[in-house]
Amino acid sequence: MDVSKILEANKKKLALPSPFPDKEDTLSYDLAIKAASDNMPVSIGTNFVDSMKTIKVLTRDNLQLLTNHIFDLPKDGSVFILPPRSEVLPRALAPPKPKKPTKWEKFAQEKGIKKRTRMERNVLDKSTGQFTPRFGMKAKRVEDDWLMVDKMNAKYEEGEDPFLVAKQGRKERVAENAKKAKQNTFRAERGTPAASKRKTDIMHSLSAAKLGTASQGLFDAKIANEPAQKSHKRRHFQENFSKGGQSAERDAQAKILGKVLKRTAKK
Amino acid sequence: MAKGNPKGGKKGSKVAFESEPIEGEKLALVGASSTAGALASELLKDMAALKTPHVHKLGKKANLRPFEDIEVIQEISRKKNISLFMTAATTKKRGHTITLGRTFEHEALDMVELAVVKAPDSEGSYYPYPGFHYMSTDDVCATKKDADTAWDLSFKPFFIFQGDWTNHNDLALTRNLLIDMFRGHDRQDQLDPTSIEHTPVVVCTALDEDRFNIQVQKMAFTKSTGTQPFVKNNLAGFAVEFTIARAQWAEPAKRKAACKKAINIIDKLGKNKSKDGLGQTVARLYHVSQDVMEVNRRQFRGTKRSKVDGTEEREGKRPHTDE
């Protein structure tokens, strides 16, 4: 039996260095930041050149240990997956305030629904047990595919135009989704300044609209919880005989005079 | 985020930077003060090279002096969302110094001034800055091949900490700051093995309770007897010995606030819900504690409590014959 080749290969192998240094592995690692810490105190003098030599030798072993730990990590294809960070490091900005989950997010979390990241090209056909393309040449197609009717709402009566039925269905669903999306934004903004701003905007538009009618909206249909309107007068005139009597009227006139004089004085 | 000033004008409005649950790369503001000498400037350049390209460089005119006037740095941080800074200065008192620091919410969190160690006269001159424990990247690379010293700017460094970095507060916080300064970001959770030989290694060796050596090395892999490669290390960048001249560390409350993690509200199952060992969701119904005796229930003869001690209450009107 010719073992010389095996012996030679082994000889070559033995000539290779060992990836395990002599020192004991007492290092602490945080592979998320690719760091290794060797707490063993180092005895290095004050001479720079000598210290550099000592550091080089010490570092080689520590780097070897770090590399060994990295090569022990789980792999995803050709890359290593790093574990989560253990070192406590401060952030640059405070973390964002957690947003209230939307109705869908809550439902998805309860049911364990995860967003589909990528569709596979081939799909398992349950009847045959084979993988066929999802679309394209050899794909398995639905029976009435030539009709191209919406999968969701393919119900139509005799004599009805299925395309019109599908189109109507789509319109309804779009409107429904838009309504739901609007409700979602309102639900999410409940309590925030955006919601109160929306309310005041609506109130301002309402009062402006009321002013457009001759009666200041006196006969308009009222919205629920609408605040009572203060005045239904379009034009306000002062009383002929003012409440406070002559003194009140005099004071009011003096005030106006004062403003006019102030303005002319400024000029 | 407010955009645009309602009053108009040049200044515009405060554009707050939106925070993310997992942060990306932290930028560093790099600039020397007007007092920085040749050594300090070159050292700053060498250290900034480890952070490139996530660096915002300013010239000497900007005169960045964190300990004297931190507001300048904070203002830049606010405008450009830069949370780390690195400055150089030269003073008679402390010599050539590099100041490293970081901010939280655009306010200074930590800063430390590291002074380059002066060589004792007995050591003789050491090129090209005789009298200082510093070898610049140019010096190191002058006698080596480009392949041995060049590193890829897109790879963030490895860290090796040697010696005792934990027992002294200043040193421990400096270590934390050094990591924060040169590391990548949390979104990178993969490591390509082919990149390791092109990645710089920042080697920090604690020599004393306030003195340490920091240098940049590179790894070279060769075949070994095992599956892991055999590592050979080489000096690939600057090497310098620092002492901690002065430091300003954050208050514990501020540090706690800065280290808070983002809460992912969707991850929480909700109140009173938990998962048992089998992965089934177990929920706890809130109920006031029930006293079996007080609760309204059908009462059977045996469960009835006696009104007066010693006597038994009996259903029905049959005379008691057991006595």
Side-chain angles (χ1 to χ4, degrees), chain A residues 21 26 30 38 71 82 132 137 142 184-185 252 257:
Chain A
T26 55
D30 187 348
D38 181 5
F71 275 75
L82 298 174
T132 48
M137 205 166 80
V142 180
N184 275 339
T185 46
L257 184 64

Side-chain angles (χ1 to χ4, degrees), chain A residues 90-130:
Chain A
R91 292 173 57 102
L93 295 172
K97 292 211 171 85
K99 275 188 245 174
K100 232 170 73 168
T102 62
K103 223 172 164 197
W104 165 253
E105 282 172 346
K106 238 193 255 173
F107 178 79
Q109 189 232 312
E110 277 171 32
K111 294 283 177 178
I113 301 169
K114 291 220 169 87
K115 195 172 178 181
R116 188 152 49 171
T117 47
R118 208 177 170 164
M119 288 208 230
E120 294 297 317
R121 179 66 190 270
N122 293 331
V123 166
L124 181 64
D125 179 13
K126 284 181 187 158
S127 53
T128 60
Q130 297 296 315

